Amino acid sequence: MLSHGLSLVDHGGQGSPLILLHGFLGSGDDWLSVLPELKNKYHCYTIDLPGHGSSGGFSDEISAEADAFAGISDRVHRLLSEEGLLPATVMGYSLGGRIALGFASHYPDDVELLILEGANPGLKTERERQERIDSDSRWSQRFRAEPLKDVLKDWYRQPVFSSLTEEQRNKLVKQRSIDNDGSLLADAMDLLSLGRQSDWWHVSSQLTCNVVYIVGERDNKFLAIAEALKKEAFKKNGKVCKAVVADAGHNAHRDNPKDFLVSLFSAECLKG
């Protein structure tokens, strides 16, 4: 179903709604490896974010907004509300995790559980934000001007993807080159740059629901973020726990689906 410029797919299952948000370059299909087990506990839905999958490009309305994250959160909320899917558990990977965090910031009463996989809560200084905007702008220019396959070869050489084997890297480049449009990715890069995202470090500690931050054991940058979020929440009595996935890098649910599910369902703040 396509509504509010977003593609929502009902995968079925048992229990309360679970909304799954993919990362940059991905689509709802990226969750297929973990959906069978998730459906034993939740009624699962995937959403393709703007510029990805079946959702097409960004609307002129979102493109013109000062805060694209707020615009997407609003559209996701309207879509889920119209379908009677709120409140829900919301899980997002990387870019999807950042969208999930923004959604929880704007609509905290509609989130029963927030699950973040390798998601950055935001940059804390103006200098960091501007440097990230400049870096993302260089990438977006390449996405618009160069063959997608060539850009992706360099994209997957970034430090955050250092845990990938050469075989895994080549497979991703091939798959993502087929599944994506360079100009739409460039729009996503420009509008959803981490440098344009609000500082959401405080959000997880202010929510009344539990927050699970799940991360691959080889994803050192985001392991540190997970620990920092726990400490921030502890100071403010928030309910944040870290779940570490063995033998996995940044995209833990792709690298090790089995242990991803084990780590998620055994997360400390979900016990009892």
Side-chain angles (χ1 to χ4, degrees):
M1 180 190 69
L2 190 66
S3 180
H4 300 295
L6 299 170
S7 175
L8 175 73
V9 178
D10 181 349
H11 296 273
Q14 304 177 40
S16 60
L18 168 63
I19 313 303
L20 295 149
L21 303 174
H22 61 82
F24 182 67
L25 293 165
S27 71
D29 287 349
D30 287 3
W31 297 102
L32 292 178
S33 63
V34 292
L35 272 173
E37 287 296 324
L38 289 173
K39 286 163 60 177
N40 290 330
K41 186 171 183 178
Y42 297 102
H43 193 128
C44 296
Y45 300 82
T46 58
I47 292 178
D48 286 352
L49 298 173
H52 298 78
S54 300
S55 285
F58 289 79
S59 67
D60 291 340
E61 187 180 355
I62 289 183
S63 298
E65 291 182 6
D67 185 348
F69 291 94
I72 293 174
S73 291
D74 177 63
R75 283 153 185 77
V76 169
H77 186 266
R78 280 188 279 164
L79 172 59
L80 298 180
S81 180
E82 288 172 5
E83 293 299 312
L85 301 179
L86 295 175
T89 293
V90 182
M91 177 158 66
Y93 159 66
S94 198
L95 171 60
R98 296 196 282 126
I99 297 294
L101 195 51
F103 181 87
S105 175
H106 288 96
Y107 305 102
D109 294 339
D110 287 318
V111 180
E112 292 186 321
L113 170 66
L114 180 63
I115 306 170
L116 305 173
E117 179 189 353
N120 197 320
L123 303 174
K124 296 188 174 183
T125 69
E126 185 58 37
R127 180 177 178 178
E128 287 178 308
R129 287 190 283 272
Q130 190 57 56
E131 288 177 347
R132 182 57 181 257
I133 289 171
D134 292 344
S135 173
D136 286 346
S137 179
R138 289 190 291 271
W139 278 112
S140 71
Q141 289 172 24
R142 292 193 62 189
F143 277 121
R144 292 187 200 282
E146 300 177 30
L148 188 52
K149 188 174 182 180
D150 293 344
V151 184
L152 292 178
K153 286 179 180 178
D154 290 336
W155 178 264
Y156 284 113
R157 293 287 176 188
Q158 295 183 94
V160 72
F161 301 115
S162 61
S163 67
L164 292 173
T165 65
E166 198 63 24
E167 181 181 359
Q168 290 172 326
R169 188 174 288 110
N170 291 336
K171 183 177 179 181
L172 277 170
V173 168
K174 181 178 180 180
Q175 176 187 342
R176 301 308 198 195
S177 298
I178 295 171
D179 294 344
N180 288 285
D181 179 295
S183 63
L184 296 182
L185 295 176
D187 289 341
M189 183 68 68
D190 286 334
L191 292 167
L192 301 175
S193 168
L194 180 61
R196 301 189 190 281
Q197 177 184 311
S198 298
D199 180 349
W200 288 324
W201 279 87
H202 65 285
V203 173
S204 57
S205 62
Q206 293 179 346
L207 294 172
T208 57
C209 69
N210 287 316
V211 179
V212 178
Y213 195 104
I214 188 162
V215 59
E217 67 172 356
R218 298 198 300 269
D219 192 1
N220 293 327
K221 175 181 177 180
F222 287 88
L223 281 168
I225 287 176
E227 195 59 35
L229 274 177
K230 278 185 62 181
K231 290 179 180 179
E232 177 76 12
F234 182 76
K235 290 186 293 185
K236 300 179 180 179
N237 299 317
K239 304 173 183 178
V240 179
C241 61
K242 178 176 70 174
V244 180
V245 182
D247 193 27
H250 186 56
N251 192 333
H253 73 267
R254 179 198 63 217
D255 292 350
N256 191 345
K258 182 177 180 180
D259 197 68
F260 176 88
L261 292 161
V262 171
S263 299
L264 174 61
F265 291 141
S266 61
E268 187 64 32
C269 59
L270 298 186
K271 295 179 179 178

